[in-house]
Amino acid sequence: MSGSSDIRRPLGPGAGASADGRGLVRRRRRWVAYGAGAVALLLVGSGVVGWVLYAKLDGNITPDEAAAAELARYAKERPTALVKDAQNVLLIGSDSRAGADNGQYGTDSGTERSDTTILLHLSGGRHSATAVSLPRDLMVDVPACRRRDGTRGEPMFAMFNYAFETGGSACTIRTVEKLTGVRIDHHVVVDFSGFKDLVDSVDGVQVCLPEPIVDRAAKLRLPAGRVTLDGEQALGYVRARKSLGNGSDTERMDRQQRFLAALVDKVQSNDILLNPVKLYPVLDAATSSLTTDPDLASLRGLYELVRGLRDIPTEQVQFLTVPRESYVYNANRDQLVQPEAEKLFEQLRTDGPVRVSHRLPMKSGSAESGDHGPYGLRAASPTPPAPTFRGNTAADDGCG
């Protein structure tokens, strides 16, 4: 038996491989290769997942091609945008009961009206955002519009929400442009289900209730004070009309504005716009029930619109109702208060400053004189101050 063949040699620098260490180098190279491959796989996998999520969100949005075609037909009569970087977006809340998720709110009659309409003005440079509610009962001139069945109607003087019932978003846009002289750059239509999902995606929105709410029609039973509303409760809260407050549409619009202000504050305070994990469910909910103009009907389009909004201070996100009063021939309808309404429209057209204050009287929501400050005090500066309207900001605390 030869002992030399059984003698184990000391392990040198190439331990486990070869005396010169080349085996160890090869092994290290294999591990580097495996590690690089794993990283590459993760990157590719992440890229695929990211693309799938992007494609899903991108496909959620419905482009309003019919409205685009109709607006192109009347391009020459539409107002001209006066400030390049400013944007005006018409937000339309549809009361359609079509679809399984919306059927619980009533029977689908085959028509839909604009339950809520807001003209959102984003200032040039995105220093401020002003949301102006347009009452559905406001008496306005509705132009001749293409009806949903393809026929064309005649111009008529009617309630504002008749425009959406008759000719959809295109007719509503043309009516708003005729009323205000403001060029509408984009529009967004959202239904009941989409509103609920958006509220739920941010884990509810806190509002302040001055007194308890017990409303069978709206399915609400809420205590006074600070209450966090889920999507279903929020929908009942912003839609209720006859059983909350004084039963007027003015009180309902005030409530909607306070809720939207609270929603904006929630999104900004929770850094949702900066956190992909928090942002995805919000985007999924927000896009799933949207119908928009073709330019907005993509994530890129929406991003281009809102990318500067996260830097707007909440005190510069303002909500108000267009100055209006009871219609002279019917107390259940509204008409504009002039010249206050025209002052507001002029500021929106020219991207001029607008101020809001909840201290102004309820009547008509009118603006103070251009020669006076927000509470009737004469301005010290020879330059007239911004007209002030009754309203609130996203920084206002309803419990304050």
Side-chain angles (χ1 to χ4, degrees):
M1 182 174 179
S2 172
S4 61
S5 61
D6 293 329
I7 296 175
R8 299 183 182 274
R9 296 179 179 177
L11 297 178
S18 63
D20 60 5
R22 284 178 292 183
L24 179 59
V25 172
R26 285 195 295 269
R27 179 175 293 181
R28 285 175 178 171
R29 286 175 178 169
R30 284 198 299 271
W31 279 111
V32 170
Y34 295 155
V39 171
L41 182 61
L42 287 174
L43 290 176
V44 171
S46 299
V48 171
V49 171
W51 183 87
V52 170
L53 295 179
Y54 179 92
K56 179 181 184 299
L57 295 176
D58 206 51
N60 282 348
I61 310 169
T62 302
D64 198 346
E65 302 286 359
E70 181 72 356
L71 292 173
R73 178 187 179 98
Y74 294 95
K76 292 183 178 180
E77 71 177 36
R78 299 184 64 194
T80 301
L82 301 180
V83 181
K84 183 178 181 180
D85 190 39
Q87 294 278 295
N88 297 295
V89 186
L90 198 65
L91 308 176
I92 303 171
S94 167
D95 71 354
S96 172
R97 272 70 170 177
D101 293 334
N102 294 322
Q104 60 183 303
Y105 303 109
T107 303
D108 179 24
S109 63
T111 64
E112 55 180 321
R113 294 188 178 185
S114 50
D115 196 59
T116 299
T117 304
I118 295 175
L119 174 56
L120 175 63
H121 175 76
L122 307 176
S123 69
R126 302 299 182 266
H127 303 300
S128 66
T130 302
V132 181
S133 295
L134 300 172
R136 61 183 184 179
D137 295 338
L138 185 67
M139 300 301 294
V140 298
D141 289 311
V142 179
C145 294
R146 183 181 185 275
R147 299 190 183 101
R148 298 176 188 273
D149 63 3
T151 62
R152 291 199 172 270
E154 297 294 328
M156 68 183 308
F157 188 66
M159 289 193 304
F160 174 68
N161 67 349
Y162 174 77
F164 190 76
E165 178 186 10
T166 301
S169 52
C171 191
T172 303
I173 291 168
R174 292 179 59 212
T175 301
V176 171
E177 291 184 339
K178 184 178 181 65
L179 178 72
T180 66
V182 174
R183 171 79 177 209
I184 303 301
D185 301 293
H186 301 290
H187 70 276
V188 176
V189 182
V190 62
D191 63 16
F192 293 159
S193 177
F195 177 83
K196 289 193 308 177
D197 291 345
L198 178 59
V199 174
D200 286 334
S201 72
V202 297
D203 297 324
V205 174
Q206 186 183 87
V207 297
C208 187
L209 305 179
E211 57 187 27
I213 294 178
V214 179
D215 188 312
R216 293 182 180 178
K219 301 178 181 179
L220 289 179
R221 190 178 187 89
L222 303 170
R226 297 184 188 276
V227 181
T228 298
L229 305 180
D230 63 22
E232 190 72 42
Q233 293 169 325
L235 182 61
Y237 176 73
V238 300
R239 293 194 67 240
R241 182 177 183 180
K242 296 181 179 179
S243 55
L244 294 183
N246 58 15
S248 69
D249 203 36
T250 296
E251 202 280 341
R252 187 179 77 123
M253 286 185 294
D254 285 349
R255 201 179 329 119
Q256 291 172 350
Q257 291 166 9
R258 291 193 298 271
F259 181 84
L260 291 175
L263 175 60
V264 170
D265 185 63
K266 175 70 177 285
V267 170
Q268 288 202 355
S269 63
N270 282 23
D271 292 329
I272 290 174
L273 296 177
L274 300 176
N275 188 328
V277 175
K278 294 181 180 180
L279 182 59
Y280 178 79
V282 176
L283 288 177
D284 190 30
T287 57
S288 292
S289 57
L290 290 187
T291 299
T292 77
D293 58 280
D295 288 342
L296 275 190
S298 68
L299 285 183
R300 179 179 294 275
L302 288 174
Y303 173 75
E304 289 297 324
L305 177 69
V306 305
R307 63 179 176 175
L309 299 185
R310 67 187 183 191
D311 296 325
I312 298 179
T314 52
E315 60 269 18
Q316 292 301 320
V317 180
Q318 305 175 122
F319 299 86
L320 66 147
T321 299
V322 64
R324 97 294 170 273
E325 62 188 359
S326 295
Y327 181 46
V328 64
Y329 298 114
N330 186 339
N332 294 319
R333 303 290 181 262
D334 293 327
Q335 65 184 25
L336 294 179
V337 173
Q338 298 294 5
E340 287 84 355
E342 181 53 34
K343 289 180 183 178
L344 173 61
F345 301 152
E346 175 68 16
Q347 296 301 99
L348 299 180
R349 287 193 295 266
T350 61
D351 199 27
V354 171
R355 296 180 60 185
V356 297
S357 173
H358 63 275
R359 299 186 188 183
L360 293 179
M362 174 73 75
K363 185 179 186 301
S364 82
S366 60
E368 293 288 345
S369 167
D371 294 329
H372 294 75
Y375 307 116
L377 301 176
R378 185 167 298 278
S381 170
T383 302
T388 302
F389 300 85
R390 183 179 176 275
N392 64 286
T393 75
D396 292 340
D397 186 343
C399 284

